[in-house]
Amino acid sequence: MGFFKDDFYSTKVKRSSRETSGSWNRPSRWGRQNSALKIALVSSLASSVLVASLFYLTVDRPKSGSAAPAISSSVSGGYDTNEAIISAAAKVGPVVVSVINQTQGGSSNNEAAIQEGTSLGSGVIFLKQKGKAYMITNAHVIADSVKLQVVLSNGTKKTATVVGKDTITDLAVLETDDKGINQIADIGDSGKLRKGETVIAVGNPLGFSDSLSNGIVSNLKTTVPISLNQDGVYDWEEEVIQISAPINPGNSGGALVNLNGQVVGINSMKVADTSVEGIGFSIPIDDAMPIVDQLMEHGKIKRPYLGVYSMDLSIYLDNKAGSEDEAPSDDGDAEATPDSNGDDDDVPAGDELVIPDGVTDGVVVLEAVGPAKAAGLAFNDIIVSLDGHPISSTLDLRKYLYTKTKIGDTLDITYYRDGKKGELSVKLVEKTENDG
């Protein structure tokens, strides 16, 4: 038996229908086809209703009164990046200032010059207290300063003074009166930045005040070699945030902000190469603020002092090899690199440097003063390790001193003198202005 009753579906005919007026009335072909079509239509409709009912009962549906999420063609995931940038810019704009540095010898460090003897940079207002306002900027922005002014976002000019500066980290703090200054920067957390995150650089590029450029975080930690004395010799390394937002002359000292309008970096430099575009660098705010705190408290950064004027052994060997190729009778004196205290000197004439076999890296002592001299270091000693940590260059020596030791520590030095290995200990003292 099928789904329907046999009497309806079966081709059999009831006995009573066999006779009409004494004859057999056979159903026509069209009548049978028409009945089958009706049956198929009814079956299909019934099945559709059944499936729809089951779907309605089993599938989760929005609660009554809830609206479907809106989708905008210009917004990804419901977040409008353009509006976030506009909001962040409005928040940070009033706390970024232009810094006008009047010098005696013309524009300094390639910042944007507005007239002879004047250069421009940027700064960020981070503190107001006791009638004063304080700004972070770059140390190179205020180099060789005779007079400093800051220009607020509304055009107001104010005389500023230097609270403290540090050339190693390229940071400085300026002070002015707080009249007309109503906002300070919202300091963020650079440790929470993510690669690819949108950021905004705010500053005074090329003299265009209150300018914005946006980009992304290209690298969270890029190590950039720096020549402190601008002599082409790298004697420090800065760990910075690499960004695609352009950093032009005058941007230095300005703010790098996230889309919440929080300052996450202090813009410091740009790769100066005609073949390179869209690469900028910013000092992470997490690294900058401890330096700023020390500058506010002491006016400088207190660092341990060793007391050696030095040059890299590799540079000595390169220069010696070059001079021997050109003139065998020449001793091959070389120009010294800055020592751990940032000074320069020339390799003095004197006894021949004795280099043990296999020693190619180290730091040659050109002169020992202060603690180093008192401990027994002397001219032509080759320092190869500090506290057992290998030292291959003046940069290594300076970085170890400034990041691994503190004032009052005793530093164990391994060195070679006249080809013989020796060890001594030096008690580190505080570096003073007279120490260079």
Side-chain angles (χ1 to χ4, degrees):
M1 177 179 291
F3 184 79
F4 299 99
K5 287 185 178 181
D6 275 356
D7 287 347
F8 182 83
Y9 182 74
S10 177
T11 57
K12 294 181 180 180
V13 182
K14 289 184 180 180
R15 187 179 187 88
S16 60
S17 64
R18 291 183 181 179
E19 296 181 5
T20 302
S21 303
S23 65
W24 187 350
N25 292 329
R26 183 181 178 181
S28 69
R29 179 179 297 176
W30 170 250
R32 293 196 305 271
Q33 290 179 345
N34 194 30
S35 298
L37 180 61
K38 289 180 180 179
I39 293 169
L41 287 174
V42 172
S43 176
S44 176
L45 287 174
S47 299
S48 299
V49 171
L50 179 62
V51 170
S53 299
L54 290 173
F55 181 86
Y56 183 83
L57 292 173
T58 58
V59 175
D60 289 338
R61 304 179 306 282
K63 294 182 180 180
S64 177
S66 64
I71 299 177
S72 172
S73 59
S74 63
V75 179
S76 176
Y79 185 80
D80 194 329
T81 302
N82 287 336
E83 285 300 323
I85 291 174
I86 293 170
S87 177
K91 179 179 177 179
V92 76
V95 304
V96 176
V97 302
S98 299
V99 178
I100 302 175
N101 178 18
Q102 296 183 13
T103 67
Q104 290 181 336
S107 61
S108 62
N109 293 287
N110 297 318
E111 288 301 321
I114 57 175
Q115 63 184 45
E116 185 178 357
T118 305
S119 61
L120 288 178
S122 304
V124 180
I125 304 169
F126 71 96
L127 178 66
K128 279 180 58 178
Q129 65 178 16
K130 299 179 180 180
K132 299 291 183 180
Y134 298 89
M135 291 139 286
I136 310 171
T137 187
N138 288 144
H140 77 263
V141 167
I142 61 169
D144 305 319
S145 175
V146 174
K147 181 181 178 181
L148 286 171
Q149 287 182 309
V150 294
V151 184
L152 306 184
S153 60
N154 61 10
T156 302
K157 284 187 178 181
K158 292 179 176 290
T159 300
T161 57
V162 179
V163 175
K165 65 178 181 178
D166 180 53
T167 57
I168 295 290
T169 57
D170 195 26
L171 291 169
V173 174
L174 307 181
E175 174 189 279
T176 189
D177 69 85
D178 69 352
K179 185 177 179 181
I181 296 176
N182 303 312
Q183 288 181 238
I184 63 173
D186 181 5
I187 303 299
D189 183 351
S190 56
K192 292 183 178 180
L193 284 173
R194 295 171 297 170
K195 197 170 182 178
E197 181 174 344
T198 299
V199 287
I200 313 169
V202 187
N204 182 36
L206 305 174
F208 300 109
S209 61
D210 196 25
S211 293
L212 310 174
S213 59
N214 75 299
I216 62 169
V217 175
S218 304
N219 204 320
L220 295 170
K221 185 179 291 187
T222 298
T223 301
V224 178
I226 298 172
S227 176
L228 297 175
N229 295 328
Q230 302 296 311
D231 59 0
V233 177
Y234 296 131
D235 36 42
W236 186 249
E237 289 180 340
E238 189 83 49
E239 287 189 348
V240 293
I241 303 165
Q242 181 184 332
I243 56 177
S244 64
I247 302 297
N248 293 296
N251 262 127
S252 289
L256 183 73
V257 300
N258 60 22
L259 292 188
N260 292 320
Q262 297 174 320
V263 177
V264 291
I266 302 298
N267 302 323
S268 181
M269 65 197 92
K270 179 184 177 181
V271 174
D273 191 304
T274 56
S275 64
V276 177
E277 293 182 2
I279 297 180
F281 299 104
S282 187
I283 302 169
I285 200 65
D286 291 359
D287 296 342
M289 291 312 296
I291 300 296
V292 168
D293 290 341
Q294 286 194 58
L295 293 177
M296 289 288 291
E297 184 176 358
H298 306 295
K300 63 178 183 178
I301 303 301
K302 292 187 174 184
R303 290 192 173 96
Y305 178 60
L306 174 59
V308 293
Y309 295 80
S310 63
M311 70 173 295
D312 296 354
L313 177 60
S314 60
I315 293 177
Y316 175 87
L317 292 172
D318 289 344
N319 279 274
K320 184 175 177 62
S323 62
E324 286 176 349
D325 289 341
E326 296 171 6
S329 61
D330 193 345
D331 289 335
D333 290 349
E335 181 178 319
T337 59
D339 80 331
S340 60
N341 309 299
D343 296 314
D344 291 319
D345 205 347
D346 291 331
V347 177
D351 298 336
E352 178 73 19
L353 181 64
V354 179
I355 306 172
D357 291 340
V359 177
T360 57
D361 293 319
V363 172
V364 181
V365 177
L366 303 177
E367 183 182 0
V369 297
K373 183 178 180 179
L377 276 176
F379 169 69
N380 269 358
D381 285 348
I382 304 173
I383 298 173
V384 293
S385 73
L386 302 178
D387 292 335
H389 180 83
I391 298 297
S392 61
S393 65
T394 299
L395 174 58
D396 282 351
L397 187 148
R398 180 182 284 111
K399 287 186 69 176
Y400 188 87
L401 275 179
Y402 292 170
T403 62
K404 303 297 183 181
T405 69
K406 60 182 183 295
I407 298 166
D409 283 354
T410 298
L411 184 67
D412 295 327
I413 299 178
T414 302
Y415 65 99
Y416 286 95
R417 178 180 296 170
D418 297 327
K420 298 179 180 179
K421 192 173 185 178
E423 294 185 356
L424 55 79
S425 297
V426 179
K427 186 172 182 179
L428 301 174
V429 300
E430 181 181 344
K431 180 180 177 181
T432 65
E433 293 297 326
N434 293 331
D435 295 326

